[in-house]
């Protein structure tokens, strides 16, 4: 069978600038070189993961060495790059300063922009939810998507498709969570619709050091030594899941992509270039504690056993600084500070884990239902 979707892999063990530069160039050469994606004069939006004002060693944001290597390629091709994102916490500029991307941007004279204006581009497919995206992203000739390989409390992993959610501006992110409620597949479908609308020309993933456990904001850095790239972020995400020993269809975004006919999910129709997948396999990866089992359990069983099969956020009073970031971020407004502790109304909680994602002190932990805890010991 003819395979037209390609995913390029290369190993790269650390963030030493020259090594990352060589690896990124090799990766792009496997896909036809930077000229296959960027033409002279193109305005190019570089979209890293700039989730929070954390240092590069925390593995929260895309590493500056990867952003630098890609910027150098874009400049070499004659593109006009800007770096942009709309993070859940802080601002693109503030987070870029903290993680070191600001310094490389200044060195290369590339502006960092905040996404400020939302543009209604229609309804999100059958969901009918207004699809409002950053004008700056919609206006770019080319988008280069630079996700970080991380776990995610709500949708298991944040990889290539999910990274485009940063093109939804600030407060509107909460509205998307509210609209989807507890239904991960509904949220994943919206993510796929954002990805399809913006259609990044290239996705290049920073998996040199990824994040496992309670990602995407409070997990543990995990050295993996991988860079991956593709014109098809769906195919790239499928290959990453495969490398982690997981069926790609366990990722809600890939299930939705398959249903919507977006990208390539089937591994036997994806050509892997460069490093052999077997050489890179990611073993014993720690999944988020919040990953529950609802995607594998019939609705009626889930309803009966909901609290014992679900995971909820729970603050650790020894770490909580009562900063109220989670209180303000919660789309359901179910977090309250009462005296010296935080109370979460779990009956109304939609388990989006925005509170955990955005807690700047790593204080929002996960409480697993008793049955979930026992089953996960034997499965994930
Ligand atoms: S964001 Fe974190 S530290 Fe701040 S109040 Fe919430 S749990 Fe506490
Ligand atoms: S408490 Fe946390 S997980 Fe629950 S709805 Fe609010 S932000 Fe989402």
């Amino acid at each position: 069978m003819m395979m037209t979707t390609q995913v390029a892999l290369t190993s790269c063990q650390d963030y030493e600038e020259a090594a990352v530069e060589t690896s990124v160039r090799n990766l792009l050469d496997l896909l036809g070189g930077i000229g296959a994606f960027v033409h002279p004069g193109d305005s190019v939006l570089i979209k890293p993961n700039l989730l929070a004002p954390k240092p590069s060693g925390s593995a929260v944001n895309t590493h500056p060495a990867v952003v630098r290597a890609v910027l150098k390629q874009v400049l070499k091709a004659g593109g006009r790059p800007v770096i942009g994102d709309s993070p859940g916490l802080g601002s693109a500029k503030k987070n870029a300063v903290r993680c070191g991307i600001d310094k490389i941007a200044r060195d290369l004279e590339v502006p960092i922009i905040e996404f400020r204006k939302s543009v209604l581009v229609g309804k999100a497919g059958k969901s009918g939810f207004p699809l409002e995206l950053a004008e700056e992203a919609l206006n770019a000739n080319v988008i280069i998507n630079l996700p970080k390989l991380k776990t995610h409390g709500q949708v298991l992993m944040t990889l290539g498709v999910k990274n485009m959610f940063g093109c939804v501006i600030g407060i509107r992110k909460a509205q998307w969570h509210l609209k989807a409620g507890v239904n991960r597949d509904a949220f994943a479908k919206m993510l796929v619709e954002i990805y399809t609308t913006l259609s990044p020309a290239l996705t290049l993933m920073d998996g040199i050091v990824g994040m496992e456990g309670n990602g995407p904001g409070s997990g543990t850095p995990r050295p993996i030594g991988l860079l991956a790239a593709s014109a098809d972020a769906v195919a790239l995400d499928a290959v990453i899941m495969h490398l982690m020993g997981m069926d790609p269809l366990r990722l809600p975004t890939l299930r939705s992509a398959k249903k919507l006919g977006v990208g390539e999910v089937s591994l036997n129709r994806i050509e892997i270039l460069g490093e052999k997948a077997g050489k890179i396999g990611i073993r014993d990866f720690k999944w988020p504690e919040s990953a529950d089992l609802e995607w594998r359990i019939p609705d009626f069983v889930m309803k009966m056993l909901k609290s014992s099969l679900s995971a909820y956020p729970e603050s650790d009073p020894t770490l909580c600084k009562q900063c109220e970031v989670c209180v303000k971020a919660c789309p359901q407004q179910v977090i309250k500070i009462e005296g010296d502790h935080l109370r979460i109304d779990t009956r109304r909680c939609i388990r989006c884990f925005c509170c955990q994602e955005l807690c700047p002190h790593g204080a929002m932990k996960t409480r697993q239902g008793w049955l979930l805890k026992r089953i996960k010991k034997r499965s994930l």
Side-chain angles (χ1 to χ4, degrees):
M1 185 183 295
M2 179 85 170
M3 291 187 284
T4 53
T5 304
Q6 297 178 322
V7 174
L9 304 177
T10 189
S11 57
C12 183
Q13 297 308 317
D14 60 46
Y15 288 110
E16 195 269 316
E17 279 185 0
V20 175
E21 229 175 271
T22 305
S23 299
V24 164
R25 190 178 56 242
N26 291 344
L27 206 55
L28 293 178
D29 284 348
L30 290 166
L31 298 171
I34 188 68
F37 305 99
V38 176
H39 301 110
D42 278 346
S43 61
V44 182
L45 171 66
I46 303 289
K47 166 63 184 78
N49 186 324
L50 272 175
L51 177 70
K54 298 266 179 90
S56 60
S58 66
V60 166
N61 304 305
T62 306
H63 197 280
V66 175
V67 178
R68 177 181 175 275
V70 173
L71 282 174
K72 287 187 87 168
Q73 287 285 315
V74 171
L75 290 166
K76 192 178 93 183
R80 296 178 292 114
V82 297
I83 299 167
D85 196 7
S86 179
L89 192 63
S91 65
K93 178 75 178 172
K94 182 178 171 193
N95 299 357
V97 168
R98 186 77 176 100
C99 73
I101 287 178
D102 179 64
K103 179 172 183 323
I104 60 109
R106 279 186 285 116
D107 289 349
L108 296 172
E109 299 181 2
V110 172
I112 295 174
I113 58 167
E114 307 290 340
F115 294 159
R116 298 205 185 278
K117 189 172 171 202
S118 277
V119 176
L120 182 64
V121 287
K123 305 278 185 189
K126 286 181 191 156
S127 65
F129 193 61
L131 192 59
E132 287 181 73
L133 299 171
E135 184 177 54
E136 296 82 354
L138 290 163
N139 285 347
N141 296 138
V142 175
I143 297 177
I144 297 185
N145 181 23
L146 300 182
K148 184 91 176 162
L149 191 162
K150 295 189 291 181
T151 46
H152 191 281
Q154 188 186 23
V155 288
L156 196 61
M157 293 295 295
T158 170
L159 302 173
V161 172
K162 168 75 174 61
N163 195 47
M164 296 313 293
F165 192 45
C167 295
V168 173
I169 296 180
I171 184 74
R172 286 177 175 79
K173 285 193 174 76
Q175 292 166 355
W176 283 73
H177 282 293
L178 265 180
K179 174 76 183 171
V182 292
N183 187 334
R184 279 169 177 67
D185 283 324
F187 184 62
K189 187 163 170 271
M190 292 175 182
L191 294 176
V192 172
E193 284 168 342
I194 292 170
Y195 165 74
T196 313
T197 304
L198 291 169
S199 189
L202 172 70
T203 296
L204 191 147
M205 178 170 300
D206 170 12
I208 296 176
V209 177
M211 179 182 281
E212 61 184 4
N214 288 333
S218 307
T220 309
R222 162 74 191 259
I224 295 168
L226 170 70
L227 286 170
S230 179
D232 179 348
V234 171
L236 186 146
D237 291 359
V239 169
I240 298 294
M241 290 298 281
H242 171 63
L243 293 178
M244 292 193 296
M246 275 282 223
D247 175 357
L249 292 180
R250 285 174 75 172
L251 195 66
T253 44
L254 292 180
R255 278 202 304 279
S256 293
K258 187 173 184 204
K259 273 189 202 145
L260 294 167
V262 172
E264 187 53 75
V265 179
S266 300
L267 293 166
N268 58 9
R269 286 200 287 270
I270 298 172
E271 184 182 7
I272 296 180
L273 307 171
E275 210 81 53
K276 292 275 170 285
K279 219 177 141 195
I280 290 183
I282 306 165
R283 308 277 168 246
D284 304 321
F285 195 75
K286 289 195 185 72
W287 301 96
E289 290 172 312
S290 54
D292 61 32
L293 303 166
E294 76 178 41
W295 65 85
R296 281 174 280 161
I297 290 174
D299 278 358
F300 73 96
V301 179
M302 194 64 207
K303 270 181 196 148
M304 284 191 295
L305 299 172
K306 187 177 168 219
S307 62
S308 51
L309 275 174
S310 300
Y312 291 93
E314 184 173 66
S315 88
D316 177 342
T318 63
L319 297 175
C320 178
K321 308 275 187 248
Q322 301 213 344
C323 66
E324 297 192 10
V325 165
C326 60
V327 176
K328 290 178 190 139
C330 174
Q332 285 285 79
Q333 298 289 290
V334 294
I335 308 177
K336 287 199 168 52
I337 293 182
E338 290 184 347
D340 59 357
H341 74 283
L342 229 64
R343 193 173 68 78
I344 298 175
D345 180 355
T346 51
R347 288 163 310 167
R348 291 172 49 227
C349 169
I350 56 174
R351 307 198 304 281
C352 62
F353 285 88
C354 292
C355 49
Q356 188 175 80
E357 179 172 339
L358 298 178
C359 172
H361 304 289
M364 197 58 94
K365 304 296 182 191
T366 304
R367 177 171 56 79
Q368 296 177 331
W370 68 270
L371 189 50
L372 172 65
K373 217 182 282 179
R374 294 187 76 149
I375 295 173
K376 281 178 71 176
K377 265 193 189 152
R378 303 166 64 101
S379 55
L380 269 181

